[in-house]
Amino acid sequence: MAQAWRCAGLSWTAGGPVLIWDGGRRSALTWGKTVAFGVAEGGARTCVGARGNTCPLAARVSARSTGPRCEECARLDRAHSVAADTLADDPRPYRVYLAWFGAGMTKVGITAERRGSARLLEQGAVCFSWLGTGPLMAARRTEELLRAALRVPDRIPYAAKRAARAALPATGEERAAEIAVLHARALELTGWPESLAPAPFRPVDHVEAFGLAEAPAPVGVVGELAAGGAVRGELVAAAGPDLHLATDRGVLVLDTRLLPGWELVPAGGRRVEVPVRALKERPAAQDGLF
């Protein structure tokens, strides 16, 4: 019987995307590399646990969910996160940013300064600019200020981000135009926390890092994995958690958040043998939170 592996997710490094496996093994992903795996026969997707602990119930998780945890483990995992505002006393500096994903799709967010731009790569931000740096709660207040005064959301549905990549402007200047306007408007607002140091507008474009400039447009999305299924394709681009794979069925997007919780095995010469759905057209841009 082939050895089975469990994927812990995708990470972005200075060298590009990397798949992480339970036990710490890493697989660097480069353009043109073949990504191939099968899903163990007769298995099911099970909860990956939380904060280094296994799920006591070994609960089953939906194959279509991008979250690999059961409800209880998800609650435990989130309980000690910046997003849940449970680390208000964190002394480390944080950065506020404006991230752009496509026309009419800009969000405001914060990330720990020590992480650099990793958070933006993980989210699939096409381009971004820093707004300022300061203590965590000052960064949070600035984020709230932009949401209230400029109606800039702090969340954008991932399906909308994915759809927007199919019709990006050709130049970096065009891609940065919307955040340039919002950045200038943000710096003019009153009510900025005194402890947050504003940052000048310096857009960072990720089209080349994601490999989107030369990659063919995808025609479909892997909807879910299934026991006994398989995925095989050549990596042509990647953005956020998505891998764009040239397969026997055209370029397909594989959201790597679907992998954790499954036992994965070598695919051999098999092709794509999992449910695939058509790539949705881009929905209307949002003007508030979801």
Side-chain angles (χ1 to χ4, degrees):
M1 180 177 178
Q3 180 179 4
W5 297 87
R6 284 185 172 267
C7 182
L10 184 76
S11 178
W12 279 87
T13 69
V18 176
L19 279 175
I20 302 175
W21 305 90
D22 284 4
R25 188 171 70 92
R26 291 172 170 247
S27 300
L29 300 175
T30 55
W31 312 142
K33 182 171 184 175
T34 296
V35 175
F37 61 86
V39 184
E41 294 276 1
R45 192 185 190 196
T46 56
C47 174
V48 299
R51 307 190 66 78
N53 301 302
T54 59
C55 176
L57 302 176
R60 291 198 174 190
V61 179
S62 168
R64 297 182 180 182
S65 174
T66 55
R69 296 180 175 86
C70 67
E71 185 175 337
E72 290 301 317
C73 287
R75 184 179 297 113
L76 176 61
D77 188 67
R78 184 176 171 81
H80 300 281
S81 70
V82 171
D85 282 334
T86 56
L87 299 176
D89 59 348
D90 188 342
R92 296 171 296 182
Y94 280 77
R95 283 173 159 175
V96 186
Y97 61 80
L98 284 171
W100 185 87
F101 301 90
M105 298 172 59
T106 299
K107 64 158 282 188
V108 60
I110 69 172
T111 185
E113 184 181 44
R114 64 182 175 82
R115 297 205 66 208
S117 61
R119 179 67 177 147
L120 286 305
L121 291 163
E122 292 166 357
Q123 292 185 47
V126 176
C127 68
F128 79 94
S129 179
W130 302 118
L131 265 175
T133 304
L136 173 58
M137 295 316 293
R140 275 283 184 230
R141 288 195 296 273
T142 305
E143 184 182 42
E144 290 294 330
L145 175 64
L146 265 68
R147 288 173 56 191
L150 301 182
R151 296 182 61 82
V152 182
D154 65 352
R155 292 182 181 88
I156 293 177
Y158 198 79
K161 299 179 188 179
R162 180 181 292 138
R165 287 188 217 126
L168 295 175
T171 68
E173 291 78 9
E174 292 174 288
R175 295 190 288 269
E178 289 186 35
I179 55 173
V181 173
L182 279 172
H183 191 284
R185 292 178 62 194
L187 293 185
E188 293 173 354
L189 294 174
T190 59
W192 273 59
E194 293 183 1
S195 56
L196 192 102
F201 179 66
R202 290 176 181 162
V204 178
D205 194 277
H206 285 154
V207 163
E208 291 298 328
F210 290 157
L212 296 173
E214 305 298 331
V219 298
V221 179
V222 173
E224 60 184 284
L225 301 186
V231 173
R232 185 182 187 88
E234 179 183 298
L235 184 67
V236 295
D242 285 351
L243 301 182
H244 293 214
L245 303 176
T247 75
D248 59 305
R249 298 166 68 171
V251 175
L252 300 179
V253 176
L254 170 66
D255 188 333
T256 55
R257 295 175 297 178
L258 297 176
L259 273 59
W262 289 103
E263 288 195 339
L264 305 179
V265 296
R270 298 165 66 186
R271 299 182 177 183
V272 175
E273 300 170 4
V274 293
V276 172
R277 65 175 187 268
L279 187 68
K280 292 183 179 179
E281 293 184 5
R282 180 185 165 183
Q286 66 169 350
D287 59 0
L289 295 178
F290 276 68

